[in-house]
Structures are given as C-alpha cells and as structure tokens.
Amino acid sequence: MFEFDQYLGFLAFLTILTIGFWLMIFLLVFVIPYWLTGNLIELFKEKREAKRAKREA
C-alpha cells in the first residue's frame, strides 16, 4: 500500500490542509467581522465629530 515516506508525506499534506481550513474559518468568522465592525464604529465617530465641529463653528 504505502511506504513509510509516502505515509509521512500524506500525513504532512493532511496536516497542512487541515490547518489551512481552520485558519480560513477563523478569518471568515472572527477576524474579518471584527475588522469591519471596528472600521464602521470609527467611521461613525468621525462623522459625528465632523457634525459637532460644523455645528459649533
């Protein structure tokens, strides 16, 4: 069936594939929404400050 070096190569391939899959899931579920939410909050803060400065001037 498999020789030992082929078996190790197959295990390395599966390990790299699995790590990549979970990294992609982590990025899509946590990192990107966190980044977008932070950017939107900062955008709203800047707009609110601009309105406040325009109203005071």
Side-chain angles (χ1 to χ4, degrees):
M1 174 107 179
F2 277 133
E3 291 182 23
F4 188 69
D5 56 347
Q6 291 176 325
Y7 179 69
L8 287 180
F10 180 69
L11 284 181
F13 169 75
L14 283 183
T15 302
I16 292 168
L17 184 74
T18 305
I19 289 171
F21 172 76
W22 287 113
L23 180 62
M24 182 185 69
I25 294 297
F26 174 72
L27 287 173
L28 289 175
V29 172
F30 295 108
V31 175
I32 293 175
Y34 179 79
W35 173 67
L36 288 175
T37 304
N39 278 340
L40 289 174
I41 290 171
E42 289 297 318
L43 181 67
F44 291 141
K45 282 182 183 178
E46 288 176 9
K47 285 186 177 184
R48 190 171 49 200
E49 288 293 325
K51 281 184 183 178
R52 189 174 295 150
K54 185 178 178 183
R55 187 175 37 195
E56 290 176 0

